[in-house]
Amino acid sequence: MDSPTPELLTRTAQPRYANGERKLARSAFMQTTWGLLALAAIAQLGLLVWLDIL
């Protein structure tokens, strides 16, 4: 595979706020997605511990 060129990365830069934060970081959809991922990870760890104790 070809490595991305700096020109391509410049053309596809993500939109950011003035402080450098990515705009996608404040998206409700992304925050919900990361929240569900974290919840699933905690549930998986809980099940792992519970099954280990059983």
Side-chain angles (χ1 to χ4, degrees):
M1 284 178 50
D2 294 331
S3 61
T5 61
E7 179 184 303
L8 178 63
L9 294 176
T10 304
R11 286 187 308 179
T12 58
Q14 292 189 3
R16 295 179 182 266
Y17 289 108
N19 64 359
E21 180 185 10
R22 291 182 181 154
K23 289 190 175 184
L24 196 58
R26 291 190 193 174
S27 165
F29 173 75
M30 288 303 294
Q31 289 180 350
T32 303
T33 301
W34 281 109
L36 288 173
L37 184 64
L39 185 65
I42 291 169
Q44 191 171 15
L45 282 174
L47 282 172
L48 181 70
V49 170
W50 180 62
L51 288 173
D52 191 38
I53 292 173
L54 213 89

